[in-house]
Amino acid sequence: MADFKKKIYHQTSFIKSVQNLDQAPPDKGYEIAFVGRSNSGKSSSINSLCDQKSLARTSRTPGRTQLINFFEVDANRRIVDLPGYGYAAVSQDIKRVWQISLIKYLEERECLKGVILVMDVRHPLKENDIQIIEWSSQSSIPVHILLSKIDKINLHEQKKILQETKNFVDEKNINASVQLFSSLKNWGMSEFDDKMNKWFEF
Ligand code: GDP
């Protein structure tokens, strides 16, 4: 069964890039959105899941940081790679427009089953990350947090940050799960895979 599922993600293909969520594919089936600060390891997590080296980069045009990329797992299931945030170069106006668009997407998108929030384990819970967690919660969208690049710190630090992040979501009474992850080493892949399968109802 596990091999069968792996093959499904391996077949994931790029559908399209859009600038505005109004141009998203029809609101049908299942969608899982990936969010995170730029350089958090978001693209790498999608590529690891799908066992493809450059899937989440194929559509990336330098300088066009605000594009939203859609990938098709199968006819009914999509992965959405939302723009990485934290770019100093992006103007306040553009940031505000994007925030409004993201809130609307979280509130209105019927097919959205969950949000994968990728945070570099060394820089967790920045302001924008917390906003995403809160907005998702307000829209009753579950969040799964990948604390990424854990190969860069030792086991003791990993456990400490995992616990602190879990405490944060518990205190806020938010529907979020948290795990340690490394795309480089493929650590945490089965937990990540299980969450995706659950939300996609595989
Ligand atoms: P994105 O901007 O959030 O999509 O991040 P990327 O996936 O492009 O990764 C940003 C940088 O971090 C790249 O240089 C990756 O090679 C590196 N990176 C991503 N995941 C890992 C990981 O698990 N471990 C290590 N050591 N580096 C990683």
Side-chain angles (χ1 to χ4, degrees):
M1 195 64 179
D3 282 351
F4 167 72
K5 285 172 183 167
K6 189 94 188 159
K7 279 197 187 111
I8 288 181
Y9 290 109
H10 189 59
Q11 285 164 7
T12 302
S13 59
F14 173 67
I15 315 174
K16 66 171 180 174
S17 291
V18 301
Q19 257 180 317
N20 194 309
L21 281 164
D22 295 346
Q23 302 154 334
D27 191 355
K28 288 188 191 134
Y30 302 74
E31 219 159 76
I32 296 176
F34 282 64
V35 294
R37 285 165 61 81
S38 63
N39 207 40
S40 63
K42 178 165 59 74
S43 311
S44 302
S45 69
I46 296 173
N47 291 338
S48 297
L49 175 80
C50 301
D51 200 16
Q52 297 187 42
K53 278 197 171 63
S54 53
L55 179 71
R57 283 166 212 280
T58 50
S59 48
R60 187 184 274 178
T61 317
R64 305 286 299 273
T65 57
Q66 296 304 109
L67 288 180
I68 303 138
N69 302 311
F70 287 87
F71 302 93
E72 189 175 71
V73 178
D74 64 22
N76 255 328
R77 296 174 176 89
R78 289 175 302 280
I79 286 172
V80 188
D81 183 10
L82 294 172
Y85 40 84
Y87 277 107
V90 176
S91 76
Q92 284 301 325
D93 279 354
I94 291 179
K95 281 181 187 163
R96 222 165 289 126
V97 169
W98 168 242
Q99 284 186 354
I100 291 165
S101 169
L102 178 61
I103 292 170
K104 188 166 174 261
Y105 174 72
L106 292 169
E107 278 177 355
E108 296 178 7
R109 192 77 168 161
E110 296 274 339
C111 65
L112 181 63
K113 303 302 175 200
V115 166
I116 302 283
L117 170 60
V118 184
M119 301 191 293
D120 186 322
V121 71
R122 298 163 301 172
H123 314 288
L125 296 169
K126 298 284 186 199
E127 191 187 340
N128 287 325
D129 301 320
I130 294 171
Q131 279 188 331
I132 300 267
I133 293 171
E134 289 179 346
W135 292 336
S136 302
S137 169
Q138 281 158 19
S139 298
S140 304
I141 304 289
V143 176
H144 184 65
I145 298 174
L146 295 182
L147 292 169
S148 68
K149 309 191 192 181
I150 57 163
D151 54 282
K152 290 196 177 263
I153 60 171
N154 68 37
L155 205 61
H156 174 75
E157 289 171 311
Q158 290 174 24
K159 282 186 181 159
K160 181 171 167 282
I161 297 165
L162 177 65
Q163 195 54 53
E164 285 170 359
T165 311
K166 282 184 172 169
N167 291 347
F168 176 86
V169 294
D170 284 352
E171 277 161 23
K172 292 212 161 231
N173 205 12
I174 274 168
N175 183 8
S177 42
V178 191
Q179 71 156 105
L180 298 168
F181 185 71
S182 166
S183 297
L184 187 72
K185 304 279 188 187
N186 261 343
W187 292 338
M189 191 52 76
S190 65
E191 200 176 341
F192 175 27
D193 217 55
D194 285 350
K195 183 58 74 169
M196 296 289 298
N197 295 339
K198 186 171 164 246
W199 284 346
F200 272 145
E201 293 187 18
F202 270 132

